[in-house]
Amino acid sequence: MTERRRMSVALAAAVALAGSIVSGGLAHAAPGASSAVTSPRESNISVHSAAMGRDIPLTVLSPKDTSRPAPVLYLLNGAGGGEDTATWQRNTDVVKFFQNKHVYVVIPMQGAFSYYTDWIKPDEKLGVNKWSTFLAKELPGAIDGRYRTTGKNAIAGISSSATSVLNLAIQNKGLYKAVGSYSGCASTSSPHGRLFIRIVTEVRGEADARNMWGPYDGPLWKKNDPLIHAAGLRGLSLYLSTATGLPGAHDNLTEVPDPQVLGDRLLVGGGIEAATKFCTEELAARLQQLHIPATVDRPLGGTHSWPYWQDQLHKSWPQLGRAIGA
């Protein structure tokens, strides 16, 4: 069986289970953010999006010393967009980790199943999605106007948003100096890339991905393909990561005491992570061909789940932070 075929089988297994299981413990449910301070340096704010005609909730982690300008890390949640319990705040030590670092961390808390891109049509299920416009054109000015920032930005994302951060960087030259892409699939116009997107938007999100970029074999899928447009990543500090999908250090009954939850993580999360490894190696090879430097971290074991993304945030931060002067 070829590597491409193994990757497709892994994704097909995930499709079969996606209706009842959310991989790696990425659970459903819950609540929008309201304006409130939840810790001395963690606050929930809203920024209006004219493009989408609504206020977008965000969590902002502020540096300890707000008297000095600080750079900004835009940190995206995965498929649920922060609208469920699968958030950086609930599943990692992100608040504690950045507690003594000189950076603003901005985490959007909407955008479920949207791939954080501009959709060409409103969707019956997901409504109006103009996320690229919001994240790249509307939000930075609002953040820079509200906080004392340096104007230097990085962006990072996991799983589906690991694709989004690559497109945002390619399509908005100069906005970001560094990109962290953890367990993502850069390809969007290939058969396996389209399948990955359709799992997120159509199987999980119950939306129509053709409202995003038009017909599945249409030109917009190629226009929004970071693998095809990888040359646009030149000049950025790039950090990519992917594990193998085999059981890793966090896949055990001590950390995951429920055998069924652990089994779901190993089966579904393992299959999805194996697929993202194929995708990440595609991008790494393309970058090497283009002589674009990138850090590619390849742990031997690990599933598509939060403990490994926490590890990667920790490992990538020295590089991302250095690029923005944090």
Side-chain angles (χ1 to χ4, degrees):
M1 185 183 290
T2 66
E3 186 67 21
R4 187 177 298 273
R5 176 63 180 159
R6 279 194 292 271
M7 189 280 308
S8 297
V9 169
L11 278 179
V15 173
L17 292 165
S20 58
I21 300 169
V22 182
S23 90
L26 305 183
H28 312 289
S34 58
S35 292
V37 175
T38 55
S39 80
R41 290 194 296 280
E42 178 184 2
S43 57
N44 294 328
I45 68 169
S46 293
V47 170
H48 184 73
S49 171
M52 291 188 277
R54 63 181 187 267
D55 292 342
I56 306 300
L58 307 108
T59 294
V60 178
L61 309 180
S62 297
K64 185 175 183 178
D65 181 4
T66 56
S67 68
R68 294 187 295 123
V72 180
L73 169 64
Y74 292 94
L75 187 59
L76 304 187
N77 289 302
E83 298 179 35
D84 52 18
T85 58
T87 66
W88 282 100
Q89 302 93 300
R90 288 180 64 100
N91 295 279
T92 74
D93 67 351
V94 65
V95 176
K96 180 180 178 182
F97 179 70
F98 284 104
Q99 188 171 355
N100 294 310
K101 294 174 176 57
H102 194 62
V103 64
Y104 288 96
V105 181
V106 179
I107 309 173
M109 301 302 291
Q110 274 189 7
F113 313 117
S114 70
Y115 264 81
Y116 286 114
T117 189
D118 282 2
W119 290 42
I120 61 172
K121 294 180 182 177
D123 185 79
E124 184 176 340
K125 184 72 175 181
L126 300 183
V128 175
N129 290 288
K130 296 293 181 182
W131 287 100
S132 181
T133 296
F134 175 70
L135 291 170
K137 303 291 193 292
E138 298 175 332
L139 181 59
I143 294 298
D144 292 345
R146 181 167 184 151
Y147 302 100
R148 297 195 66 186
T149 65
T150 63
K152 295 180 179 179
N153 307 309
I155 190 166
I158 57 170
S159 193
S160 61
S161 71
T163 307
S164 310
V165 298
L166 297 169
N167 268 330
L168 284 162
I170 290 169
Q171 295 167 6
N172 298 280
K173 295 295 289 184
L175 180 57
Y176 311 105
K177 292 187 174 296
V179 179
S181 178
Y182 317 127
S183 301
C185 190
S187 177
T188 63
S189 61
S190 64
H192 59 274
R194 289 197 303 269
L195 176 59
F196 222 138
I197 290 172
R198 293 183 67 185
I199 291 171
V200 172
T201 59
E202 297 182 341
V203 177
R204 291 189 58 194
E206 301 178 358
D208 187 342
R210 291 169 295 186
N211 291 329
M212 183 167 71
W213 292 330
Y216 300 127
D217 58 352
L220 286 182
W221 290 76
K222 292 184 174 65
K223 184 178 179 180
N224 289 279
D225 191 322
L227 187 63
I228 291 175
H229 301 287
L233 296 169
R234 192 180 303 278
L236 294 166
S237 180
L238 298 173
Y239 185 100
L240 314 176
S241 69
T242 180
T244 58
L246 297 172
H250 300 294
D251 302 311
N252 56 73
L253 288 170
T254 301
E255 292 192 37
V256 190
D258 185 329
Q260 182 174 351
V261 173
L262 178 59
D264 293 345
R265 180 189 286 190
L266 292 171
L267 180 61
V268 185
I272 294 176
E273 192 69 10
T276 67
K277 178 172 175 56
F278 176 86
C279 291
T280 302
E281 296 297 352
E282 275 189 317
L283 179 58
R286 179 61 179 147
L287 292 172
Q288 187 173 35
Q289 184 183 47
L290 293 168
H291 305 290
I292 296 175
T295 299
V296 186
D297 192 62
R298 303 173 172 95
L300 292 178
T303 53
H304 204 70
S305 52
W306 282 104
Y308 299 101
W309 297 326
Q310 174 176 291
D311 289 348
Q312 290 302 329
L313 182 63
H314 288 200
K315 292 173 77 172
S316 63
W317 175 246
Q319 177 179 330
L320 303 182
R322 186 165 54 250
I324 58 176

